Structure formats: structure tokens, C-alpha cells
Amino acid sequence: IIDWAIKMINKKRAEGDEEALILEKIPLDDPATFAMMQRAETTAVFQLESRGMKELIRKLGPDRFEDIIALVALFRPGPLQSGMVDDFINRKKGRAEVSYPHPQYQHECLKPALEPTYGVILYQEQVMQIAQEMGGYTLGGADLLRRAMGKKNASEMAKQRDLFVQGAIGKGFANNLASNIFDLMEKFAGYGFNKSHSAAYALVAYQTGWLKAHYPAEFMAATISSDMDKTDKVVTFIDECRAMNLDLLPPDVNHGQFHFSVDQQGSVIYGLGAIKGLGEGPVGAIIAARTEGGAFKDLFDFCARVDGRKVNKRGLEAMVRAGAFDEIGPVGEIGYRRAVMLACMDEAVKLAEQHARNKVSGMGDLFGESIVDSASEINYNAYSAVRTLSVRERLNGEKETLGLYLTGHPIDEYEEELKVMVPNRIVNLRPGKDAETVSGMVVGMRIMKNKRGDSFAFLTLDDKSGRIELSVWADKYTAYRDIISKDALLVVKGAVSEDSFTGGLKMVAESIQSIYEARCSKLRSLELNITAGRDDWVQQVHTTLSAYKDGNCAVTVDYLQPHASGTLKLGSQWKVQPRDELISRLRQQFGKSSVSMRYD
């Protein structure tokens, strides 16, 4: 990751006539890096990215390189369970006295060894230093003591105690002090960590943190590339890019590489290799054709120039749905561009095959190039009447091919409805006694079990304005588990409080509804707005509504002619279930603005 990031950084620096970045020369006391760490913004930072480690970082507040070394050594079961971690933090924060190593048993001669850890015996090397400084051990003898303490060999420890105490007395230390210091060494040696190992890890942790703080786009592009084949990892890192306010561009056949990359404006370009169904071979063929013949003009030009045996129709479709052809599609909104290219794909492939046959037979100079050159305008225009992909269809295509929603948020489709139905936004939530109601999509989900074996859940809700963790305890999870799933859009009522871990807010669920349930409880009527010019509209409305009858939502039809209009209030037998599918079908048949919803 570091290597890939630095190559991207130095390529850009060379283009700007800047000196190359040499990682070994970066300062180890960089304020921006430590400020980022203190905020626990350490996702993708080596060794410091787990939830538990972030919690420890928040408590410790590292502000020097020695603290990072200590973090690596402290974040282990032994220190966490022994009280050593709390002692270390309290001493650093000034809430406890710094002593070397104990208020009742200490000596200034131990300060050089213990000062970096505020007097806490944390490292195996410190045990060896104390043995040398106080017990008169040789370096080799101190290493034998370290090993004996690690193995907890009782007979060997008794022998070592005598050696240490006698050595200390010989150097002028009191018997009682030496004996108690040995007890403290023995207690902490079982949890001691090899500092040289911890320091090596800490250096890489600091370097990755420094890169994230100063070259966020290049660092995140390299990080995502390292786990490109793991969708869950990619999703996590893409979320982090968004949290860092980095611009993220869809894959692009004219600018994308196999891995994630960064453009001149500092935007992260999605890696072509992250599209499901495309491997190194197909992407290599695309880049080779682009390098040889320049940028692709359109889908037809692409099909003609890239070997169809390398990028087949299935791969082409995945690329279109992922957005890789958006910049060379027909003019129009994204959903329209992708719909046209999906519709004309068969023809583009046929023309490419014909072009290949002509080339093999020697007829390319006469016919092949002219067919390809003229195909785009003729065929994009020929499919101009195709139905635009809905927001949901477009985003689902991205989810299928990339594993995530890239160019929008599924909640966009409900934005106007939610403004009326659930006007509160996550960003506006505040801690308080009264329950709040918000809507959001489930973007994270952890199912756990309590001591009785009952399941409960922690959900992360996202409504574009912000995110909040929702605790769904066992009784509520049992009641609502059927509507709780990843990517579900929920309306939640619950108590809001401060979250000491994230520094943000958290919520405890009191009630949960699906968007459909919330709509049913609040929607008074569905109104269709139909303009004259369609003789079959009555039959279409009849057929469509028939599939969703037996609901509780009334339907009215506003019919508009050039010189007259009328309103039809359908009878109670035509009350419908206001499902997403019904609303989507009506909008496809009569236009996006054809459906209005009236709420109580």
C-alpha cells in the first residue's frame, strides 16, 4: 500500500517539478498526523484501525511516536485485562502520579528506562534494563531473566530473585526495595511485549497515518486497491473516502487503470479491476487498445477496438451498469445514457464482429472503418426512445457490479416523500429525554447474542445527512427482525444519547417500520395526474391498480385536456396497497410527475 501510494504521489510531484517524496525523511512529530489519530480517524491505518483500538486511541490521545509504540504493545488481552492500560492512560493524562515504577518502590536510576512509558513496565527490554541497572546483570544474564519471567518457571524465578536482590544489594540498594522491584517486574513481565517488534509496527502505522493525513486520495486509492477483490473491504474504504470528503469517480474506460488511481484534481478513480467479471486480462486488453489508439469515442468504437474474446458481452454489460461508459454515452442523464447503451449493445457487438471479419478478409480498408465510424450516431439515435433507468435500477446495477451504490443513494428516490412523512434528519438529532423519529438506510449491521442466547442488533443508519448507530435490543429485535436487513430503508423512533466511543450520537430503538409500513400509516390518498393524448389510459390504470387492490389507500385521477379537466375519485373497492412497485409502474406508464401522495 505504501509503495503504490508513493508511486502515485511521486508521479504527480514529478509532473509539477517537485522533488520526490522519500518516506524515510518524513518527520516523526507531525502535528496533522497526531491530530488525525487523536480523533481516531484511523480506518486503513496499519495496526490502528480496529474498533477496540480506536477506543483505546481516543482514551490515550497519542501525541508522540513513543505513544504509538505503546499502543501496539498495550492493545493485547493481557494488558487490557490487568489494569495496566488504565494505569498507563491515567499517568499520561495526569490523573495518577508518574513513578518509577511504583509510588512506594521507586528509584531515580530507573527513570531512563521507564520514562517513555510514564513509569509503567510495558516492554521486555525494560525488564532487561532494570535488571542491568539495579541488579547488576550482564546483557546476556538480563535476557535469561526475561525468558524465565515469560515462561513463569517457579524454580528458575526463585533462583533469579536471589541473583537480582544480591546484585542490587551489591550496588548499594536496600533489600526491601530490590525485592519489591523484582515483584513488580515479575508481575508485569507476563504481559511484557518486545519493544523492537512494537516499534517496527508503530513506524509503519505512523507512515500510513502520515500518508493518510497529507496525501489522502493517493493513500486511499492504494488501500482500496490492496483489497479490491473483497467487496466488504471495498465498501468500508469507500465509506471512509466519503467521510474524508474525497471525490470518488466511477470507473472510466478512458481514464481508469486496473487499480484505483487519482486524477490531476485529486479525485479517486474507481479501478476497472473492481468491476465484477473483469479480471486482469480484460482490463489489460482495454488499456492496451487505449494506449495504442487513443481514447475510445463511444461504445461502438470500444467494441471494434477491444478483442471480444477478452471482453465479452457479459463484461460489457457489467461495465455499462458500473458506469464505465458514462462519459462516452449519448447525451442525457446517467440513467438514460446507460439505458441506451444496454439497449444497443447487441448491435455494437455485431458491428464489432463484422469489423473483425472484414479485417481478417482484407476488406477493412473498404468497409470496416466506415461502419464503425458512422455507427455511434446512427445507433445511439436509433435507441433514443428507450425508457430511462429509474434511480433504483441504476443504483441496483452499480450494487450488482461494484458491490455498492456509487452515483447516488437509494434514499434519493424517497427524498420528497420523506420530507413530508419524516421531516427530521440524522444531522439534526440531539440528545434528550423525548424520543425522536428519523428514517435511514441500513448500511451496517451486527447481530449478536446476549447471555440468554437471545439475538440483538446494532444497525448503522444513513440518511445522507449523517449516520447514527441504532441499538435494537432483544425484545425489539424479535418484534422487528423480519424488516431488518442490509440496505433496508427504515423509519425508527427512539431515544438519542451521546456515544462515548464515536464522539457522535447513538439511538435505542423503541419502534421500527419499513418505509411501506410508514407510508400505509400516514398516506391518505394516491393521486394520478394524466394528460390527454393517451386513449388507453383507462385500461392501463385499471390493469395496474388491479394487481394492488385490497389496501387502505384511496386513489384519485386528475385528467387534464387542453380546454377542460376533471377529477375521478375511485370507490373504496379500488383502495390500493401503496407499494414501491405500484408507484414505479405508474410513473413508468404516465411520467415521473404523474404520481402525487397526500399525507395526513
Side-chain angles (χ1 to χ4, degrees), residues 273-499:
I275 300 174
K276 293 180 181 179
L278 284 189
E280 290 195 48
V283 175
I286 293 168
I287 293 174
R290 188 175 74 201
T291 302
E292 181 182 350
F296 300 109
K297 299 173 184 175
D298 47 51
L299 179 65
F300 302 92
D301 182 39
F302 178 92
C303 290
R305 289 166 51 192
V306 177
D307 191 340
R309 293 168 298 181
K310 296 286 182 66
V311 183
N312 57 26
K313 184 181 173 184
R314 185 176 177 182
L316 277 176
E317 184 173 339
M319 292 173 70
V320 171
R321 293 191 182 280
F325 290 103
D326 284 354
E327 296 303 312
I328 57 174
V331 176
E333 62 175 283
I334 295 175
Y336 173 74
R337 282 182 249 173
R338 294 183 191 177
V340 170
M341 287 186 283
L342 288 171
C344 68
M345 187 175 295
D346 284 340
E347 188 167 355
V349 171
K350 285 179 184 176
L351 284 168
E353 291 171 348
Q354 183 179 341
H355 169 67
R357 287 194 298 270
N358 289 344
K359 196 170 183 179
V360 169
S361 63
M363 297 174 64
D365 292 338
L366 291 174
F367 302 107
E369 296 304 323
S370 61
I371 289 172
V372 174
D373 290 343
S374 63
S376 61
E377 284 303 314
I378 295 169
N379 290 284
Y380 276 170
N381 290 338
Y383 289 88
S384 60
V386 71
R387 179 182 66 80
T388 299
L389 297 178
S390 68
V391 172
R392 186 185 308 175
E393 288 171 326
R394 187 188 88 220
L395 294 177
N396 284 345
E398 293 172 4
K399 184 77 181 287
E400 290 168 11
T401 56
L402 300 174
L404 54 96
Y405 305 112
L406 192 61
T407 60
H409 195 294
I411 209 168
D412 291 344
E413 189 173 354
Y414 303 91
E415 189 168 11
E416 294 304 315
E417 183 180 6
L418 289 172
K419 282 180 182 177
V420 178
M421 197 162 63
V422 192
N424 211 2
R425 306 296 299 279
I426 288 175
V427 71
N428 297 326
L429 293 177
R430 295 292 181 270
K433 295 180 181 178
D434 297 332
E436 301 266 17
T437 302
V438 291
S439 61
M441 192 176 107
V442 179
V443 296
M445 183 171 172
R446 290 180 291 139
I447 309 296
M448 307 176 77
K449 288 187 181 293
N450 60 23
K451 291 179 180 178
R452 294 193 302 270
D454 300 322
S455 296
F456 63 97
F458 293 110
L459 311 180
T460 302
L461 292 184
D462 185 316
D463 73 346
K464 285 180 64 179
S465 78
R467 289 186 173 187
I468 192 167
E469 182 167 280
L470 177 72
S471 301
V472 187
W473 302 127
D475 59 332
K476 302 299 182 185
Y477 183 72
T478 300
Y480 302 117
R481 68 189 308 158
D482 290 343
I483 60 172
I484 294 174
S485 63
K486 190 80 182 293
D487 296 333
L489 182 56
L490 303 177
V491 176
V492 179
K493 182 179 181 181
V496 178
S497 59
E498 293 182 354
D499 187 337

Side-chain angles (χ1 to χ4, degrees), residues 117-186:
T117 55
Y118 310 99
V120 175
I121 302 173
L122 178 58
Y123 306 120
Q124 294 175 358
E125 287 89 340
Q126 288 174 314
V127 171
M128 295 169 66
Q129 285 176 281
I130 294 170
Q132 289 178 276
E133 191 65 36
M134 182 172 277
Y137 278 61
T138 64
L139 190 58
D143 190 47
L144 292 175
L145 172 63
R146 175 191 65 80
R147 294 183 194 179
M149 285 184 166
K151 293 179 180 178
K152 295 182 172 60
N153 185 315
S155 60
E156 180 63 24
M157 286 306 298
K159 187 189 303 181
Q160 291 291 341
R161 173 185 288 277
D162 288 341
L163 286 172
F164 182 85
V165 172
Q166 291 306 315
I169 292 172
K171 293 189 72 172
F173 295 100
N175 184 315
N176 183 54
L177 175 65
S179 182
N180 280 286
I181 293 291
F182 188 89
D183 288 341
L184 289 169
M185 288 167 60
E186 186 175 10

